[in-house]
Amino acid sequence: MKIVILDGYTANPGDLGWEGLEMLGVVKVYDRTRPSETVARVADAEIVLTNKVVLGRAEIEQLPQLQYIGVLATGYNVVDLEAARERGIIVTNVPAYSTESVAQMVFAHLLTVTNRTEHYALQNRDGRWTESPDFCYWDTCLTELSGKRFGIVGLGNIGQRVATIANAFGMKVSAYTSKAESELPAYIEKKSLTEILAESDVVSLHCPLTPDTRHLVNAQSIRLMKPTAILINTGRGPLVDDQAVADALAEGRLAAFCADVLTEEPPKAERTAEGRLQSKNPLLAQPNAFITPHIAWATTEARGRLLQVATDNVRAFLNGKPVNVVS
């Protein structure tokens, strides 16, 4: 079997190995693949692994030998499932590999806002503390999490883990979820979305992106939130209206926005008249927007699990008992 990996670099930039897959077939790894290169690179492969390279109907119809598509992620919208089904191609994903890492990132972002450790570390490399007339100093608001309300939108694996950690911080946890109240731990209070937005000191988004949840956070919903609230998005970029959030930050109607995802990734930029590179995403110009480049999933441990499950998926397929099938 020939196995082609179309965009292996993000999952494995060289610190991990492909040995498990190499025991199952002849493996060809491409760091990145442009759309125009996809069909040629996969033409003689039976098995293809992809993270973000699209395998749509147009590509699938040109690949007569293709039998299996493994998505190196949990989301599988990069594959045309209907086209795959018509061809009898098995499509699998890797569920729940990054739960701990993403939950950790939620609180890394939250503590960035409440404690500003990087801000002080950078200042003190430049001698700020050395010059202080007192034994300590602070020039930002420092906030204690205990007793604050943490609202979670979407209570899947990551949402539940975030709830556990918030509870450990002594926060009051509420969730907007389809789960019955009887299914929830005693420390999670089920609430409507309106209540979550209006009452929470922190709102964290963990719901899937659907037509109903696109721009779930918009100008109207932000008006329901406290001006002191912190909004966190480690789910999908389009869950929020970037411009509406940027406007709210600029006008002081939202205290902070933390995100590991944006509507467009990477964000596009343009040259100003002075020749400077300026992002087209309005959030990146806001000092109270804390944006990381979609790395919540990318801890060494999570990527190791990702590659292991992806390998196990291929092995199960070859043994005639495919698992984690989404097609």
Side-chain angles (χ1 to χ4, degrees), residues 134-190:
D134 305 303
F135 78 95
C136 69
Y137 78 92
W138 61 93
D139 55 12
T140 68
C141 178
L142 302 175
T143 303
E144 189 172 89
L145 293 178
S146 181
K148 301 294 191 298
R149 181 163 292 280
F150 194 108
I152 300 172
V153 181
L155 208 59
N157 290 323
I158 296 172
Q160 291 180 65
R161 186 68 180 121
V162 167
T164 301
I165 299 171
N167 180 59
F169 269 105
M171 303 185 78
K172 301 170 185 175
V173 182
S174 53
Y176 174 60
T177 174
S178 59
K179 290 180 170 63
E181 197 155 10
S182 59
E183 298 178 63
L184 305 182
Y187 62 83
I188 300 180
E189 187 176 359
K190 182 172 180 174

Side-chain angles (χ1 to χ4, degrees), residues 196-268:
I196 292 285
L197 294 171
E199 299 173 6
S200 298
D201 299 294
V202 181
V203 176
S204 193
L205 306 180
H206 299 286
C207 53
L209 178 62
T210 68
D212 289 336
T213 61
R214 180 176 291 273
H215 287 187
L216 181 77
V217 177
N218 52 44
Q220 182 176 355
S221 58
I222 291 171
R223 280 194 280 271
L224 299 173
M225 299 175 69
K226 299 177 180 180
T228 55
I230 300 166
L231 174 64
I232 304 174
N233 184 17
T234 56
R236 293 289 182 265
L239 292 174
V240 308
D241 180 331
D242 294 345
Q243 188 64 60
V245 173
D247 290 344
L249 291 171
E251 296 165 11
R253 293 183 287 109
L254 189 65
F257 175 62
C258 305
D260 188 55
V261 289
L262 290 176
T263 299
E264 186 175 44
E265 300 175 348
K268 283 189 168 60

Side-chain angles (χ1 to χ4, degrees), residues 1 9 12 47 53 71 88 130-131 157 176 189 206 213 234 238 255-256 260 263 270 295 299:
M1 285 281 184
Y9 186 84
N12 179 16
I47 294 173
V53 177
V71 181
T130 303
E131 297 168 353
N157 290 323
Y176 174 60
E189 187 176 359
H206 299 286
T213 61
T234 56
D260 188 55
T263 299
E270 59 187 358
I295 55 172
T299 61

